[in-house]
Every structure is written in C-alpha cells, then in structure tokens.
Amino acid sequence: MIIGKVTGSIVSTRKQENLVGNKFMIVEPISIMDGSHNQVVAIDNIGAGIGEYVLVAQGSAARIGCGLNDSPIDAAIVGIIDDIGKLGK
C-alpha cells in the first residue's frame, strides 16, 4: 500500500463493462514513499478529491478492496488520510 496525493481525474467514456460507473483519479506517491514522481491511475469508490492524501492498494488487493475481483484494476483508493503528519513534509 502506498500514500499519495490526488492530482487530477480521468474521464473515460468507453471502458471494460465491469468498470462502468467508477471514477478514476491520478495519484502521485509522496516522495518519502516512492523517491520519484511517478503517477498511477487508481479507481476511486470512496469519493476522494483533488488535493487529498489517500491510501492506495495495488495489485490483487486493489481488486479485492473495491469488490471487483474480475475487473482489470491495478490500483484502488481505499482510504482518505485525515492527518499526514511528518510524511507530508
């Protein structure tokens, strides 16, 4: 699981059937977690907003975490962080 900041959203009108009705967000891992500025696209079923810090599950944990076991999901926002503490510096 990684901690990241939501930096944007993606609109996809055509997608795999299991993904219809889901929102996609761009998440940038915080530098202390990743050491780079790579971004991931994560499915968002909890309503995160741009600028919020979030917990992101990846791989099979992402599919299981959002109840879409048969969907092509590699990353999912599974929590919104209330207080990032020292990690955000």
Side-chain angles (χ1 to χ4, degrees), residues 4 11-12 17 22 45 61 70 80 86:
V11 176
S12 174
E17 186 177 305
N22 290 293
N45 288 334
D70 296 327
I80 298 173
K86 294 181 180 180

Side-chain angles (χ1 to χ4, degrees), residues 5-20:
K5 185 174 185 178
V6 178
T7 59
S9 63
I10 293 179
V11 176
S12 174
T13 55
R14 296 178 65 182
K15 54 189 158 252
Q16 200 267 342
E17 186 177 305
N18 291 352
L19 300 177
V20 172

Side-chain angles (χ1 to χ4, degrees), residues 12-49:
S12 174
T13 55
R14 296 178 65 182
K15 54 189 158 252
Q16 200 267 342
E17 186 177 305
N18 291 352
L19 300 177
V20 172
N22 290 293
K23 182 170 82 170
F24 297 94
M25 305 300 279
I26 299 169
V27 178
E28 184 173 319
I30 62 173
S31 59
I32 198 168
M33 298 288 294
D34 185 62
S36 69
H37 292 286
N38 295 327
Q39 296 178 327
V40 296
V41 175
I43 195 166
D44 175 24
N45 288 334
I46 61 172

Side-chain angles (χ1 to χ4, degrees), residues 1-4 27 40-43 54-66 73-79:
M1 195 171 324
I2 62 170
I3 295 173
V27 178
V40 296
V41 175
I43 195 166
V54 294
L55 293 172
V56 177
Q58 295 181 301
S60 61
R63 290 187 295 279
I64 294 166
C66 57
I73 296 169
D74 186 50
I77 296 173
V78 296

